[in-house]
Amino acid sequence: MRNILKHLVAAFFAVILVLLSSVAVLAEENGDASTPPVIEGAAAYYLYNFENDRVLCEGGTDTALYPASTVKLMTGILAVEKFGNDLEQRITITSDMLKTAAGNKLGLVAGEEVSVKDMLYATLEGGYNDAALVLACAVGGSVDEFVSMMNTKASLLGAFDTHYTNPTGLHDDAMITTAADTAKIAKCAAEMPLIVEITSSPKYVMDKTNLKDFRNIYNRNCLISKFYDTYDTPYRYERATGMNAGSTGKAGSVVVATAKNDDGDLTYLAIVMGAHSDENVNYAYAGAITLFDWAFSAWGYIDVLAEESVICEVPVSLSSAVDYVTLSPKKSLRVYLPTSVDPKTDIEYSYTTLHEEIAAPIKKGDVAGAVTAIYKGEIMGSSDLVTNIDVERSELLYTLAQIEEFTKSRFFIGAVVSAVILSAAYIIINARIKTKPRGF
């Protein structure tokens, strides 16, 4: 019988070990939810949250790369800075403006009169190179002067590893950037409401001009528009809010995209550069979607301090009804953290109270201390601690306390000492008088 029990116990523990090993393997394979995803088929990637100024993950961001159509973001920035308040200003196109036009073109012709607004939509939404050249000449007077302005602006934005040679993004071995620099330029563009509006639009209708009929301009960013979606896997992304995408033979595919969560309080910037693509997959779009999906699921706002939570309790004096009062944060505190964080186990709370005990009467909401929330050694924020209930004072206990306090006062002690001394002196003097012989 003992041998049977021994074998059963051994088998039980063996099963437990196997289960534990399986759990460990699964944990290793799946990883923590806050672990950044692997971005395949790209030379560089970058993910950033605007509201909290936080880079969530990045890779290869300092690698020198060809910018492709991301160049048009800088073209748009300079054009908006120049004409943002005069979008209806007319531009008469000349042959000099179009002499280097190649690649994706809107079909602009010399002598055609267009508006700044039309050219901005054609450049940023449609990705048309001839429109970008027209804007460049309208802003800088010439393409060469505009390119000089582009490089100056890049330096002002801290994009020191970026060098422009044209305003379109057509390949030039001398025109390079990095994903880190592209992020700085994209953040600048994202601060311009007009660029956000243009790049988030799926379609724009350009009015007829003096030489041509109206033209439909469709967004070339497959996250925004389905018009250019020629891949087996659709890349339309409901939360996408704009920016830029493109490709060249040497640059590969590039995506600079923004997306916002359903509540509208979290906006992300995803950049994927130097990506491969084929008839089935564009790894720039696929990578951007992977980054966005992970950000929306793995990060969010967490209540690390809640008004209704009890942080501590403090003894109460002068009350016959309660012995202590609980303290809670005066205000809630929501912090941007991995969604896997559990405030009950992962957040440390450090608090202080103003007094070791609180004397009644107490009003609900009275400030009685302070609390600080800490995550992995980093302070998340603080709040005053306030009392949770009203506490009435017992007049009997208050009177007794006043008496006790009075008996401990210097005045009372001095009076008692004085009375004792005077009494002693009186007794001594009186005794001497009684023992003194009387004369005849």
Side-chain angles (χ1 to χ4, degrees):
M1 187 68 179
R2 288 183 179 180
N3 289 333
I4 295 175
L5 288 174
K6 184 184 297 184
H7 286 299
L8 287 174
V9 171
F12 173 78
F13 280 108
V15 170
I16 294 297
L17 287 173
V18 170
L19 290 174
L20 289 174
S21 299
S22 300
V23 171
V25 169
L26 286 173
E28 184 176 352
E29 290 178 351
N30 297 329
D32 192 305
S34 62
T35 301
V38 176
I39 304 302
E40 299 178 347
Y45 63 92
Y46 176 91
L47 181 64
Y48 171 82
N49 174 253
F50 283 93
E51 288 78 8
N52 297 279
D53 189 24
R54 183 159 189 163
V55 178
L56 300 186
C57 65
E58 58 184 328
T61 49
D62 294 326
T63 303
L65 300 168
Y66 297 124
S69 195
T70 62
V71 168
K72 291 185 176 74
L73 287 176
M74 178 60 81
T75 301
I77 289 170
L78 293 176
V80 170
E81 287 180 345
K82 174 75 172 181
F83 296 115
N85 295 322
D86 191 11
L87 297 180
E88 298 305 322
Q89 180 167 323
R90 309 303 291 179
I91 303 171
T92 301
I93 298 174
T94 67
S95 57
D96 283 345
M97 293 178 179
L98 302 174
K99 63 183 180 182
T100 60
N104 184 39
K105 294 187 292 184
L106 181 60
L108 300 171
V109 296
E112 191 172 6
E113 295 179 1
V114 295
S115 70
V116 169
K117 181 179 180 181
D118 289 339
M119 294 300 95
L120 278 169
Y121 270 90
T123 299
L124 294 172
E125 184 177 4
Y128 293 113
N129 295 328
D130 51 355
L133 290 168
V134 169
L135 279 179
C137 292
V139 174
S142 69
V143 171
D144 289 343
E145 182 59 30
F146 185 78
V147 169
S148 177
M149 294 171 64
M150 294 171 73
N151 286 314
T152 298
K153 184 67 175 181
S155 296
L156 291 174
L157 293 175
F160 301 117
D161 294 321
T162 294
H163 178 69
Y164 294 113
T165 62
N166 65 61
T168 64
L170 285 173
H171 180 74
D172 184 332
D173 285 344
M175 186 159 64
I176 59 171
T177 189
T178 64
D181 279 4
T182 301
K184 295 172 184 176
I185 295 161
K187 290 172 188 176
C188 176
E191 292 176 356
M192 297 180 167
L194 181 57
I195 291 182
V196 174
E197 177 184 342
I198 292 172
T199 61
S200 65
S201 170
K203 176 184 175 182
Y204 175 75
V205 178
M206 178 177 167
D207 290 336
K208 65 179 182 178
T209 67
N210 58 320
L211 297 180
K212 290 202 173 186
D213 202 351
F214 75 91
R215 280 166 276 200
N216 290 322
I217 296 173
Y218 295 92
N219 202 316
R220 286 175 60 83
N221 182 351
C222 291
L223 298 175
I224 300 293
S225 170
K226 293 183 179 180
F227 185 79
Y228 290 97
D229 190 0
T230 59
Y231 301 98
D232 289 344
T233 302
Y235 294 113
R236 178 80 169 85
Y237 197 72
E238 293 297 331
R239 290 173 167 176
T241 57
M243 300 307 274
N244 176 272
S247 66
T248 68
K250 290 191 176 181
S253 293
V254 297
V255 169
V256 177
T258 53
K260 191 178 288 289
N261 69 342
D262 296 336
D263 292 334
D265 57 359
L266 288 174
T267 310
Y268 293 98
L269 169 66
I271 297 174
V272 182
M273 302 185 72
H276 304 303
S277 63
D278 53 41
E279 66 276 8
N280 297 317
V281 180
N282 182 308
Y283 287 99
Y285 287 120
I289 291 173
T290 297
L291 290 171
F292 284 141
D293 284 345
W294 175 74
F296 289 127
S297 64
W299 288 81
Y301 289 112
I302 294 178
D303 291 319
V304 298
L305 285 177
E307 292 182 21
E308 65 275 10
S309 62
V310 174
I311 299 299
C312 62
E313 58 185 42
V314 179
V316 172
S317 62
L318 305 184
S319 170
S320 58
V322 299
D323 297 323
Y324 65 90
V325 64
T326 57
L327 305 184
S328 296
K330 183 177 182 179
K331 60 181 181 180
S332 296
L333 176 64
R334 300 185 75 214
V335 180
Y336 184 67
L337 289 170
T339 53
S340 59
V341 171
D342 183 353
K344 295 180 180 179
T345 58
D346 300 331
I347 302 297
E348 176 187 353
Y349 298 101
S350 175
Y351 66 87
T352 58
T353 57
L354 298 178
H355 307 285
E356 292 185 1
E357 68 174 11
I358 306 176
I362 300 170
K363 294 293 184 182
K364 181 178 179 180
D366 284 348
V367 175
V371 60
T372 298
I374 303 169
Y375 175 65
K376 291 187 176 181
E378 181 182 353
I379 294 177
M380 298 290 99
S382 301
S383 172
D384 287 335
L385 285 174
V386 296
T387 53
N388 284 318
I389 59 173
D390 294 328
V391 180
E392 294 184 358
R393 183 175 68 190
S394 167
E395 294 305 320
L396 174 60
L397 293 177
Y398 176 69
T399 301
L400 294 175
Q402 291 293 100
I403 294 172
E404 181 182 0
E405 184 177 354
F406 177 74
T407 60
K408 295 178 180 179
S409 66
R410 291 185 178 181
F411 173 79
F412 179 79
I413 294 172
V416 170
V417 171
S418 298
V420 170
I421 293 173
L422 290 174
S423 297
Y426 173 78
I427 293 171
I428 293 171
I429 294 171
N430 190 47
R432 287 183 177 179
I433 291 174
K434 290 182 176 180
T435 57
K436 185 178 180 180
R438 296 188 179 186
F440 295 96

